Amino acid sequence: MKPLHTARHAAEAHLILGYLESNGVQAIVRGEFLTGGIGELPADICKVWVIDDTDVSRAHELVRQFFRGEAASIHAHEHWCCTQCGEQLEGQFTACWNCGSTRPDR
Ligand SMILES: [Zn+2]
């Protein structure tokens, strides 16, 4: 098993995980339960791991594709600010990953 990508937060890790699995690469997310509770934990503990080492190079290519797609979607959606906790969120998220509030109507 090899570490593939350090996510900014658990939501990103799970988006990547879903993308990998939909392309036939088996992967897991580790560290997501550490990012929720205690406030100011370092952001680099939520990682996506590839289970089969022979999938690693393909998985890296899929991650590059994922972020090209994400970059396109970021341009299509404005960032928004959580009304509950003030977190800055990217437009593809419909709920705050920090506190779970849904995005307010504009
Ligand atoms: Zn929030």
Side-chain angles (χ1 to χ4, degrees):
M1 197 160 71
K2 290 266 200 298
L4 174 68
H5 175 76
T6 300
R8 288 167 293 179
H9 44 71
E12 180 186 287
H14 279 276
L15 286 170
I16 292 169
L17 179 68
Y19 187 70
L20 291 171
E21 288 180 338
S22 71
N23 285 279
V25 173
Q26 293 221 310
I28 60 168
V29 172
R30 284 191 165 177
E32 62 183 306
F33 300 116
L34 301 173
T35 61
I38 311 173
E40 297 303 314
L41 286 163
D44 65 349
I45 52 181
C46 192
K47 280 194 170 71
V48 182
W49 294 71
V50 177
I51 290 171
D52 187 340
D53 290 2
T54 62
D55 283 336
V56 167
S57 60
R58 178 166 148 73
H60 277 290
E61 177 57 30
L62 288 168
V63 169
R64 278 193 292 274
Q65 289 174 16
F66 175 86
F67 280 105
R68 278 200 295 271
E70 186 189 64
S73 72
I74 286 169
H75 288 300
H77 302 281
E78 293 173 20
H79 288 221
W80 57 286
C81 185
C82 178
T83 55
Q84 293 299 312
C85 71
E87 189 66 39
Q88 293 287 328
L89 294 140
E90 290 162 7
Q92 74 268 35
F93 297 114
T94 56
C96 175
W97 59 266
N98 190 46
C99 72
S101 304
T102 53
R103 177 164 51 184
D105 295 331
R106 285 179 220 153

